[in-house]
Amino acid sequence: MRTDSSPGTLPAREHLPAATAGTPVLDVVIPVYNEEKDLQPCVRRLHDHLARTFPYPFRITIADNASTDATPMVARRLADRIPEVTSFRLEQKGRGRALRTVWSASDAPVLAYMDVDLSTDLNALLPLVAPLISGHSDLAIGSRLARSSRVVRGPKREFISRAYNLILRGSLQARFSDAQCGFKAIRRDVAQVLLPLVEDTGWFFDTEMLVLAERAGLRIHEVPVDWVDDPDSTVHIVKTATDDLRGVWRVGRALATGSLPLDRLTRPFGDDPRDRDLTDVPGGLARQLVGFCVVGALSTLFYLLLYSGFRLFAGSQTANALALLVSAVANTAANRRLTFGVRGRSGAVRHQAQGLVVFGIGLALTSGSLAALDAANSDPAHSTELAVLIAANLAATVLRFLLFRAWVFPDRREPTTYDGPAHDGPAHSGTVHSGPVHGGSAYDGPAQDGPAHDHMTFATKAYGTYGTHNTHDSRAFDGTWRDATLRLSPVRPHDTDPGDAR
């Protein structure tokens, strides 16, 4: 992924305009499973808080995950009695599945969710969504592990939470402090592009979404929260922990192989110094120079260690050639990903072949320097050899950077422009880009504008033409997914319709 001022798929963040009549700014989703006792007091308390303190229109969506008790009846009763409340039912379990389906269909520009027990103090809700409304951040999360957070819970859950977040930091290099707090928000334009990349449909959904967003360079805002543990929680700790560890392995492997198209999440940052035009300085040059110097320093150290090892059983020319060959392959791979932001396996063989040509030029420089040293001194000291090689490598390094930038990894991206604000209509309207889907099927027709006739009815007072919805295939209201677990094929910037809000 390139981190210079590329236009990317997402538009620049902007402050949300004043809400139009009938369109909520915030949609708070409450995923529930068999919560017939807690659902009504939770929703009424949340509605009362938002009505008193939230300065924008809002909606509360109850997402029922195939409950087997009276939860659906309670949800429908609340939706009938409170204008800002809607109910939604899925016939398949999974908190991640529920969030992805409802968020994908919502027309609100800011999407949030919280657990039904309301363990998090509601005074943190406005600070949570304010950075998204202002355009400062892309996602926001509540953190129970921040210094100023006040948390009441038992030692067992405290240990599990901190251990899990340490695992994320050590394995996935996550920098956010709390992945599991059920108190998060995301901008809709980000969700439309990020959610198709998230594979999990259960409790790991939050973690996977945050890791991918962070790796793509999106801004995540953290809010310290006051949190009181619910002693009646129905979460199965052992099963959830096992599923989470499997998810960590899956996501870590995908990130290591570069198989995730995170470049589709890039956006021009509004006030980032890297976006400012500097006279006679190509875009991204400073960052690439820093990355190249770091990789070059490590490669030189690696080369010298290899040369010293090969020198024990080979002559200077042979040791130099072998050390250069091994270090050149590693250097090309490191610069490919870290300096020039090229991910995935596409073009990797060609890049290595071009890197070997650059290696040949470096070999000629260093071998020539050794030949000149041998001509001047038939038996030079080992330290003298190293000094000459360092000088020759510095010259080869400058030439290598220029060749990498201009020939091996040229920036061939086509400029794209974003014309106008994000689409204000229902999410994913219009034509869906066709292409292979990771489940082996594809949806390449237009988004459905009429109702889909089946078992589940979504309250039309909030979502208008979304109408009814097929619960057996978990398709989003616009027909984007045939199943909630299905992922769309990556959309590259040049494949995106200029009129598409993504």
Side-chain angles (χ1 to χ4, degrees), residues 223-411:
V223 178
V225 297
D226 298 338
W227 196 84
V228 179
D229 189 19
D230 178 16
D232 298 325
S233 175
T234 58
V235 178
H236 301 287
I237 297 178
V238 176
K239 182 180 185 303
T240 301
T242 303
D243 293 341
D244 287 347
L245 292 177
R246 290 174 180 169
V248 169
W249 169 259
R250 174 176 53 80
V251 173
R253 183 177 56 185
L255 292 173
T257 58
S259 61
L260 291 170
L262 298 181
D263 57 331
R264 66 179 294 189
L265 293 170
T266 58
R267 71 153 89 232
F269 295 88
D271 193 29
D272 196 311
R274 293 172 295 181
D275 291 339
R276 299 171 187 169
D277 293 331
L278 302 177
T279 305
D280 298 329
V281 178
L285 178 60
R287 183 195 61 78
Q288 291 179 354
L289 276 173
V290 172
F292 185 81
C293 288
V294 172
V295 173
L298 295 175
S299 297
T300 300
L301 178 61
F302 183 48
Y303 162 78
L304 292 176
L305 291 174
L306 290 173
Y307 177 81
S308 298
F310 291 145
R311 193 66 173 85
L312 297 176
F313 58 84
S316 60
Q317 295 287 2
T318 302
N320 173 59
L322 291 174
L324 265 180
L325 177 61
V326 176
S327 61
V329 173
N331 181 275
T332 301
N335 277 306
R336 181 179 187 267
R337 177 162 184 173
L338 302 178
T339 303
F340 298 97
V342 181
R343 293 177 178 266
R345 301 176 181 177
S346 177
V349 176
R350 175 174 56 84
H351 293 155
Q352 284 292 348
Q354 292 173 312
L356 289 178
V357 174
V358 178
F359 149 75
I361 297 175
L363 177 62
L365 286 174
T366 53
S367 298
S369 63
L370 284 176
L373 177 62
D374 290 338
N377 187 346
S378 59
D379 188 21
H382 185 64
S383 58
T384 305
E385 284 185 350
L386 292 180
V388 170
L389 287 173
I390 290 174
N393 265 286
L394 288 176
T397 297
V398 175
L399 182 59
R400 186 184 303 120
F401 175 76
L402 297 176
L403 289 175
F404 273 174
R405 182 176 171 84
W407 179 47
V408 182
F409 306 110
D411 190 355

Side-chain angles (χ1 to χ4, degrees), residues 31 33-35 38 95 115-119 144 152-154 156-157 160 180 182 203 227-238 240:
Y33 174 73
N34 289 348
E35 298 286 354
D38 296 334
R95 183 181 67 167
D115 292 335
V116 68
D117 54 18
L118 296 186
S119 296
R144 299 163 296 182
V152 178
R153 60 177 169 181
K156 179 180 179 180
R157 286 184 176 271
I160 292 175
Q180 294 177 310
W203 292 96
W227 196 84
V228 179
D229 189 19
D230 178 16
D232 298 325
S233 175
T234 58
V235 178
H236 301 287
I237 297 178
V238 176
T240 301

Side-chain angles (χ1 to χ4, degrees), residues 482-502:
R482 290 191 179 276
D483 184 86
T485 61
L486 217 54
R487 297 175 295 160
L488 295 179
S489 58
V491 178
R492 296 177 293 278
H494 58 274
D495 290 336
T496 305
D497 187 344
D500 192 333
R502 294 181 294 179

Side-chain angles (χ1 to χ4, degrees), residues 19-35:
T20 58
T23 302
V25 170
L26 173 66
D27 191 351
V28 183
V29 180
I30 303 177
V32 293
Y33 174 73
N34 289 348
E35 298 286 354

